[in-house]
């Protein structure tokens, strides 16, 4: 704040100096003798003053812009290009413009991603993600480790701008694949955080738009799925936009190798991406991250307003 006040004062002084210089130049017209050299000197001073005003104006604008970034795309646009934890202020009535610490991925596909979920081996219990509605509403975990950002926060992020989502997936043998959806947002809690996801590209297969698009979020204590026999969240030990029931279960149990032997050979209650590894394998690492669609259009060379 002090830096902004100082810059404003400098701008006022520069503008005042510029006006005084211009008044002196205009006074030359009333003098009969030749002052062409002095006139040129005043123009040089005026040009220098204008340059300084422009410089300080852009500097002040940059400082103002850095104050309250809405997401990691804003953070990147403000010049921070290293992945890590940053503070953002999403614009939403739900979170009341409160600040939020998030992990920004500045390395993947141009950067600017706000990570909303991460799974990995961080010495948690197998069922660490098998939590209730309130936990998923508010979020849990550490944003630099394994976590869920919170459905209210995800709602805020994906409703302030048109958004895309990327799923980064890793198999037990280390192979990595991704699924990118050009259109993604969720509704608020009154609508049980209904999922809207479409326009897939990637190499992991589309495990989301066919089975989970337009379905509500379910947890072990809130059954919003379409299965009439059981609660999918309870049966598959997770929390997700289950229909009847899933092709993806990224909040399922964290199963470590070697997997327990099962007669069915299925591990549908683990971390699954069925269109890649089916339900017979579990994934040891995943990330979900969102970014404004306008940011992606800019990366591809289109004007940001062509959404």
């Amino acid at each position: 704040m002090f830096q902004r006040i100082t810059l404003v004062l400098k701008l006022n002084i520069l503008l005042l100096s510029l006006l005084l210089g211009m008044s002196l130049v205009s006074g030359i017209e009333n003098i009969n003798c030749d002052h062409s050299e002095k006139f040129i000197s005043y123009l040089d001073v005026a040009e220098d003053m204008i340059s300084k005003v422009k410089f300080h104006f852009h500097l002040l604008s940059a400082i103002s812009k850095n104050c309250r970034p809405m997401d990691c795309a804003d953070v990147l646009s403000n010049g921070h290009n290293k992945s890590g934890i940053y503070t953002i202020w999403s614009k939403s009535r739900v979170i009341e413009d409160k600040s939020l610490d998030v992990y920004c991925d500045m390395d993947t596909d141009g950067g600017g991603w706000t990570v909303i979920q991460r799974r990995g081996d961080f010495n948690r219990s197998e069922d660490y993600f098998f939590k209730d509605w309130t936990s998923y509403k508010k979020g849990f975990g550490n944003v630099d480790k394994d976590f869920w950002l919170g459905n209210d926060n995800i709602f805020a992020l994906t409703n302030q701008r048109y958004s895309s989502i990327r799923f980064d997936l890793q198999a037990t043998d280390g192979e990595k694949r991704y699924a990118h959806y050009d259109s993604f947002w969720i509704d608020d809690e009154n609508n049980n955080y209904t999922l809207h996801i479409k326009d897939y590209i990637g190499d992991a297969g589309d495990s989301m738009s066919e089975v989970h698009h337009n379905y509500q979020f379910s947890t072990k204590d809130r059954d919003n799925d379409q299965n009439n026999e059981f609660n999918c969240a309870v049966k598959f030990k997770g929390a997700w936009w289950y229909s009847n029931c899933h092709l993806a279960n990224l909040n399922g149990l964290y199963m470590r190798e070697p997997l327990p032997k099962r007669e069915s050979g299925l591990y549908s209650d683990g971390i699954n991406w069925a269109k890649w590894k089916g339900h017979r394998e579990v994934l040891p690492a995943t990330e979900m991250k969102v970014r404004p669609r306008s940011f992606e259009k800019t990366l591809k060379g289109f004007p940001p307003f062509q959404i």
Side-chain angles (χ1 to χ4, degrees):
M1 179 63 71
F2 176 76
Q3 189 177 9
R4 293 182 64 187
I5 294 173
T6 302
L7 283 172
V8 171
L9 290 173
K10 284 185 177 180
L11 280 173
N12 288 332
I13 293 171
L14 286 170
L15 287 170
L16 180 59
S17 301
L18 178 60
L19 290 172
L20 288 172
M22 292 178 66
S23 65
L24 287 172
V25 171
S26 62
I28 293 175
E29 296 177 0
N30 298 324
I31 303 175
N32 294 326
C33 54
D34 184 10
H35 290 282
S36 59
E37 292 184 2
K38 186 179 290 187
F39 183 80
I40 293 173
S41 177
Y42 282 134
L43 286 178
D44 290 340
V45 171
E47 185 178 359
D48 180 62
M49 291 292 183
I50 291 172
S51 298
K52 289 180 178 177
V53 168
K54 287 182 177 179
F55 171 79
H56 284 91
F57 176 78
H58 289 306
L59 185 58
L60 179 61
S61 298
I63 291 173
S64 298
K65 187 177 181 182
N66 280 329
C67 285
R68 295 172 70 90
M70 293 164 54
D71 50 33
C72 290
D74 276 357
V75 173
L76 180 59
S77 297
N78 290 342
H80 302 283
N81 58 8
K82 292 185 178 181
S83 295
I85 300 174
Y86 295 88
T87 302
I88 64 169
W89 288 262
S90 297
K91 297 187 181 302
S92 169
R93 58 176 173 75
V94 173
I95 61 174
E96 299 176 345
D97 293 334
K98 294 178 182 178
S99 64
L100 177 67
D101 288 340
V102 297
Y103 190 92
C104 296
D105 178 355
M106 302 304 192
D107 300 307
T108 303
D109 189 29
W113 296 100
T114 305
V115 182
I116 63 174
Q117 185 253 32
R118 183 185 297 113
R119 302 299 304 271
D121 195 351
F122 296 98
N123 297 317
R124 306 278 197 188
S125 63
E126 182 181 75
D127 62 351
Y128 178 65
F129 269 63
F130 189 39
K131 295 185 181 297
D132 60 17
W133 183 268
T134 300
S135 297
Y136 273 93
K137 168 187 169 68
K138 296 181 178 179
F140 56 87
N142 300 320
V143 293
D144 57 342
K145 296 181 180 179
D146 51 347
F147 73 98
W148 181 259
L149 192 61
N151 286 334
D152 279 350
N153 293 320
I154 297 171
F155 165 76
L157 279 167
T158 61
N159 282 269
Q160 62 186 358
R161 297 171 175 172
Y162 293 115
S163 296
S164 300
I165 187 169
R166 179 182 172 111
F167 298 82
D168 283 314
L169 313 169
Q170 180 179 323
T172 53
D173 61 2
E175 183 184 2
K176 296 180 180 180
R177 295 198 181 185
Y178 79 98
H180 179 117
Y181 295 85
D182 199 43
S183 180
F184 169 77
W185 78 94
I186 66 172
D187 292 334
D188 61 11
E189 186 176 18
N190 291 333
N191 294 285
N192 295 322
Y193 304 114
T194 298
L195 173 68
H196 306 276
I197 187 168
K198 59 182 180 179
D199 300 331
Y200 161 83
I201 58 172
D203 57 7
D206 179 8
S207 289
M208 291 299 296
S209 64
E210 180 181 344
V211 173
H212 301 287
H213 172 59
N214 274 337
Y215 287 98
Q216 300 174 5
F217 200 80
S218 289
T219 59
K220 61 184 179 181
D221 60 336
R222 190 76 70 88
D223 185 359
N224 295 316
D225 61 48
Q226 299 299 305
N227 193 302
N228 295 324
E229 297 181 9
F230 51 78
N231 181 347
C232 294
V234 172
K235 185 173 180 63
F236 297 109
K237 303 298 188 294
W240 201 247
W241 298 277
Y242 296 111
S243 54
N244 185 31
C245 274
H246 73 78
L247 288 179
N249 194 37
L250 299 190
N251 291 331
L253 298 178
Y254 191 86
M255 298 181 180
R256 296 171 175 84
E257 296 289 339
L259 296 177
K261 292 184 179 181
R262 295 179 175 176
E263 290 185 8
S264 66
L266 299 177
Y267 299 92
S268 304
D269 52 350
I271 303 173
N272 299 143
W273 191 269
K275 287 299 182 74
W276 180 27
K277 291 295 183 179
H279 292 111
R280 295 181 181 274
E281 292 188 35
V282 296
L283 306 180
T286 69
E287 277 191 355
M288 297 167 57
K289 55 199 72 172
V290 297
R291 184 169 69 181
R293 206 187 314 171
S294 58
F295 187 89
E296 301 197 3
K297 296 293 184 183
T298 302
L299 285 178
K300 295 176 183 178
F302 297 103
F305 55 81
Q306 292 185 358
I307 298 173

